[in-house]
Protein backbone atom coordinates (compact mmCIF):
# COMPACT_ATOMS: atom_id res chain seq x y z
CA UNK A 1 0.00 0.00 0.00
CA UNK A 2 1.31 3.45 -0.81
CA UNK A 3 1.31 6.42 1.50
CA UNK A 4 3.51 9.50 1.25
CA UNK A 5 5.86 9.76 4.20
CA UNK A 6 9.25 11.10 5.11
CA UNK A 7 12.25 9.03 4.06
CA UNK A 8 13.20 6.11 6.27
CA UNK A 9 16.13 3.85 5.51
CA UNK A 10 17.53 0.80 7.21
CA UNK A 11 21.24 0.03 6.87
CA UNK A 12 22.96 -2.93 5.17
CA UNK A 13 19.90 -4.31 3.42
CA UNK A 14 18.92 -4.58 -0.21
CA UNK A 15 16.18 -2.79 -2.06
CA UNK A 16 13.96 -5.25 -3.90
CA UNK A 17 12.27 -4.68 -7.25
CA UNK A 18 8.54 -4.09 -6.89
CA UNK A 19 6.38 -5.76 -9.55
CA UNK A 20 4.15 -3.32 -11.43
CA UNK A 21 0.61 -4.06 -12.59
CA UNK A 22 -0.32 -5.74 -14.95
CA UNK A 23 2.63 -8.09 -14.31
CA UNK A 24 1.05 -11.58 -14.21
CA UNK A 25 3.24 -12.59 -11.25
CA UNK A 26 1.03 -10.32 -9.09
CA UNK A 27 -1.74 -12.91 -9.67
CA UNK A 28 0.21 -15.72 -8.01
CA UNK A 29 -1.36 -16.99 -4.81
CA UNK A 30 1.26 -17.05 -2.04
CA UNK A 31 2.12 -20.25 -0.16
CA UNK A 32 2.35 -20.44 3.64
CA UNK A 33 5.74 -19.73 5.19
CA UNK A 34 7.11 -22.92 6.73
CA UNK A 35 10.77 -22.16 7.47
CA UNK A 36 11.84 -19.46 9.91
CA UNK A 37 15.51 -19.15 9.01
CA UNK A 38 18.14 -16.50 8.24
CA UNK A 39 16.87 -16.20 4.65
CA UNK A 40 13.41 -15.28 5.94
CA UNK A 41 14.88 -12.70 8.33
CA UNK A 42 16.85 -11.12 5.44
CA UNK A 43 13.71 -11.08 3.28
CA UNK A 44 11.74 -9.32 6.04
CA UNK A 45 14.49 -6.72 6.46
CA UNK A 46 14.82 -6.20 2.70
CA UNK A 47 11.05 -5.84 2.33
CA UNK A 48 10.97 -3.26 5.13
CA UNK A 49 13.76 -1.25 3.52
CA UNK A 50 12.02 -1.44 0.15
CA UNK A 51 8.70 -0.32 1.66
CA UNK A 52 10.27 2.63 3.50
CA UNK A 53 12.30 3.71 0.45
CA UNK A 54 9.31 3.57 -1.93
CA UNK A 55 7.82 5.24 0.28
CA UNK A 56 4.90 3.07 1.36
CA UNK A 57 3.08 1.85 4.45
CA UNK A 58 2.72 -1.81 3.47
CA UNK A 59 4.34 -4.39 1.22
CA UNK A 60 3.39 -8.01 0.53
CA UNK A 61 6.00 -10.57 -0.50
CA UNK A 62 4.04 -11.18 -3.72
CA UNK A 63 4.86 -7.60 -4.77
CA UNK A 64 8.58 -8.42 -4.73
CA UNK A 65 8.08 -11.72 -6.58
CA UNK A 66 8.35 -13.91 -3.49
CA UNK A 67 5.22 -16.00 -3.26
CA UNK A 68 5.09 -16.63 0.47
CA UNK A 69 2.40 -15.40 2.88
CA UNK A 70 4.44 -12.58 4.41
CA UNK A 71 3.80 -8.87 4.65
CA UNK A 72 5.31 -5.85 6.37
CA UNK A 73 3.40 -2.76 7.49
CA UNK A 74 4.21 0.49 9.23
CA UNK A 75 1.33 2.93 9.57
CA UNK A 76 3.00 4.99 12.30
CA UNK A 77 3.40 8.71 11.71
CA UNK A 78 7.21 8.53 12.00
CA UNK A 79 7.48 5.16 10.23
CA UNK A 80 9.28 3.66 13.21
CA UNK A 81 6.91 0.84 14.17
CA UNK A 82 7.44 -2.01 11.71
CA UNK A 83 4.90 -4.84 11.97
CA UNK A 84 5.47 -8.26 10.40
CA UNK A 85 2.61 -10.64 9.61
CA UNK A 86 3.38 -14.19 8.46
CA UNK A 87 0.57 -16.49 7.27
CA UNK A 88 -2.08 -13.90 8.24
CA UNK A 89 -5.75 -14.81 8.49
CA UNK A 90 -8.28 -11.97 8.65
CA UNK A 91 -11.87 -11.82 9.84
CA UNK A 92 -13.62 -8.55 9.03
CA UNK A 93 -16.49 -6.94 10.89
CA UNK A 94 -18.65 -3.86 10.66
CA UNK A 95 -20.32 -2.23 7.69
CA UNK A 96 -17.97 -1.82 4.72
CA UNK A 97 -16.51 1.67 4.39
CA UNK A 98 -14.98 3.37 1.37
CA UNK A 99 -11.34 4.37 1.52
CA UNK A 100 -9.06 5.85 -1.11
CA UNK A 101 -6.11 3.52 -1.64
CA UNK A 102 -2.86 3.62 -3.54
CA UNK A 103 -0.47 0.78 -4.24
CA UNK A 104 3.26 0.50 -4.82
CA UNK A 105 2.48 -1.98 -7.63
CA UNK A 106 0.07 0.45 -9.30
CA UNK A 107 1.99 3.75 -9.22
CA UNK A 108 0.00 6.95 -9.60
CA UNK A 109 -3.42 5.37 -9.08
CA UNK A 110 -5.58 6.31 -6.11
CA UNK A 111 -8.93 4.52 -6.18
CA UNK A 112 -11.88 4.04 -3.84
CA UNK A 113 -12.14 0.56 -2.33
CA UNK A 114 -14.66 -0.80 0.19
CA UNK A 115 -13.10 -2.49 3.22
CA UNK A 116 -14.08 -3.67 6.67
CA UNK A 117 -13.39 -0.98 9.29
CA UNK A 118 -12.44 -3.57 11.92
CA UNK A 119 -10.62 -6.86 11.57
CA UNK A 120 -9.32 -9.62 13.75
CA UNK A 121 -5.96 -10.89 12.52
CA UNK A 122 -4.23 -14.12 13.44
CA UNK A 123 -0.64 -14.49 12.25
CA UNK A 124 2.90 -15.46 13.14
CA UNK A 125 5.58 -12.90 13.99
CA UNK A 126 9.04 -12.89 12.43
CA UNK A 127 10.19 -15.55 14.92
CA UNK A 128 7.26 -17.87 14.17
CA UNK A 129 5.35 -17.03 17.35
CA UNK A 130 1.55 -16.89 16.92
CA UNK A 131 -0.39 -13.76 17.83
CA UNK A 132 -3.91 -12.42 17.47
CA UNK A 133 -5.19 -8.89 17.66
CA UNK A 134 -8.11 -6.72 16.71
CA UNK A 135 -7.33 -3.63 14.65
CA UNK A 136 -9.23 -0.79 13.04
CA UNK A 137 -8.69 2.28 10.91
CA UNK A 138 -5.73 2.57 8.57
CA UNK A 139 -4.06 -0.60 9.89
CA UNK A 140 -7.21 -2.66 9.18
CA UNK A 141 -7.44 -1.25 5.67
CA UNK A 142 -3.74 -1.80 5.00
CA UNK A 143 -3.86 -5.40 6.23
CA UNK A 144 -6.80 -6.18 3.94
CA UNK A 145 -4.99 -4.56 0.99
CA UNK A 146 -1.78 -6.54 1.58
CA UNK A 147 -3.57 -9.85 2.17
CA UNK A 148 -5.33 -9.31 -1.17
CA UNK A 149 -1.84 -9.31 -2.74
CA UNK A 150 -1.03 -12.61 -1.02
CA UNK A 151 -4.24 -14.00 -2.55
CA UNK A 152 -3.23 -12.85 -6.06
CA UNK A 153 -5.56 -9.87 -6.07
CA UNK A 154 -4.70 -6.25 -6.89
CA UNK A 155 -6.82 -3.36 -5.65
CA UNK A 156 -7.77 -2.34 -9.20
CA UNK A 157 -9.78 -5.59 -9.30
CA UNK A 158 -12.43 -3.68 -7.34
CA UNK A 159 -12.82 -1.22 -10.25
CA UNK A 160 -14.90 -1.49 -13.40
CA UNK A 161 -13.27 -3.15 -16.41
CA UNK A 162 -13.07 0.23 -18.17
CA UNK A 163 -11.16 1.88 -15.30
CA UNK A 164 -8.87 -1.18 -14.93
CA UNK A 165 -8.07 -1.06 -18.65
CA UNK A 166 -7.23 2.65 -18.50
CA UNK A 167 -4.82 2.09 -15.60
CA UNK A 168 -3.31 -0.99 -17.25
CA UNK A 169 -2.71 0.83 -20.56
CA UNK A 170 -1.16 3.84 -18.82
CA UNK A 171 1.21 1.68 -16.79
CA UNK A 172 2.22 -0.40 -19.83
CA UNK A 173 2.93 2.82 -21.73
CA UNK A 174 5.00 4.18 -18.83
CA UNK A 175 7.01 0.95 -18.53
CA UNK A 176 8.24 1.03 -22.11
CA UNK A 177 11.85 2.11 -22.49
CA UNK A 178 12.31 5.86 -22.98
CA UNK A 179 13.84 5.46 -26.45
CA UNK A 180 10.76 3.54 -27.65
CA UNK A 181 8.44 6.22 -26.25
CA UNK A 182 10.37 9.01 -27.92
CA UNK A 183 10.44 7.06 -31.22
CA UNK A 184 6.66 6.57 -30.97
CA UNK A 185 6.09 10.28 -30.31
CA UNK A 186 8.34 11.22 -33.27
CA UNK A 187 6.34 8.87 -35.50
CA UNK A 188 3.10 10.38 -34.22
CA UNK A 189 4.45 13.90 -34.94
CA UNK A 190 5.47 12.89 -38.46
CA UNK A 191 1.98 11.55 -39.17
CA UNK A 192 0.20 14.66 -37.83
Amino acid sequence: MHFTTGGHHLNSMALLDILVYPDPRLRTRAEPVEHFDDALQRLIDDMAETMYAAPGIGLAATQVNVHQRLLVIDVSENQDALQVYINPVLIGSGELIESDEGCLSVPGAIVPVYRYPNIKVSALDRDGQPFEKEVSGLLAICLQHEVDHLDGKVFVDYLSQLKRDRIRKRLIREQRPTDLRSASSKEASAVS
Side-chain angles (χ1 to χ4, degrees):
M1 189 164 196
H2 175 75
F3 184 75
T4 305
T5 63
H8 188 292
H9 297 279
L10 303 174
N11 297 323
S12 71
M13 288 168 250
L15 288 178
L16 304 170
D17 290 331
I18 297 173
L19 300 178
V20 177
Y21 177 81
D23 191 308
R25 294 171 292 182
L26 288 168
R27 299 299 182 183
T28 305
R29 188 170 175 83
E31 297 293 326
V33 172
E34 295 178 1
H35 302 288
F36 290 79
D37 53 13
D38 290 343
L40 179 65
Q41 300 308 314
R42 275 192 306 280
L43 176 60
I44 291 168
D45 293 339
D46 291 347
M47 286 177 59
E49 182 182 23
T50 302
M51 176 190 70
Y52 288 128
I57 60 170
L59 186 67
T62 301
Q63 293 177 272
V64 294
N65 200 29
V66 175
H67 303 289
Q68 294 186 329
R69 297 191 72 77
L70 160 66
L71 58 93
V72 295
I73 290 179
D74 188 341
V75 295
S76 67
E77 194 169 311
N78 296 323
Q79 293 240 289
D80 58 1
L82 182 67
Q83 298 179 51
V84 176
Y85 296 83
I86 299 172
N87 301 336
V89 176
L90 307 181
I91 299 173
S93 65
E95 189 172 321
L96 294 176
I97 59 168
E98 183 179 273
S99 67
D100 289 334
E101 296 181 17
C103 180
L104 296 176
S105 290
V106 189
I110 304 292
V111 300
V113 178
Y114 286 89
R115 303 279 189 192
Y116 289 105
N118 308 299
I119 60 168
K120 180 177 181 179
V121 58
S122 300
L124 302 174
D125 67 15
R126 69 182 300 151
D127 298 315
Q129 297 303 308
F131 68 92
E132 263 187 20
K133 61 182 174 179
E134 294 186 20
V135 300
S136 60
L138 182 58
L139 180 55
I141 291 166
C142 190
L143 276 165
Q144 292 169 84
H145 177 107
E146 301 307 334
V147 168
D148 275 355
H149 280 299
L150 300 179
D151 292 335
K153 193 168 188 175
V154 181
F155 80 137
V156 295
D157 295 346
Y158 294 100
L159 299 175
S160 69
Q161 184 67 45
L162 176 65
K163 290 179 182 178
R164 264 196 318 272
D165 286 346
R166 285 182 183 159
I167 290 171
R168 183 182 53 77
K169 288 175 184 174
R170 177 183 58 81
L171 290 173
I172 289 171
R173 188 174 53 248
E174 290 174 1
Q175 289 175 37
R176 287 191 304 199
T178 306
D179 56 336
L180 287 178
R181 280 189 294 215
S182 60
S184 296
S185 61
K186 286 178 187 173
E187 289 174 16
S189 298
V191 173
S192 304

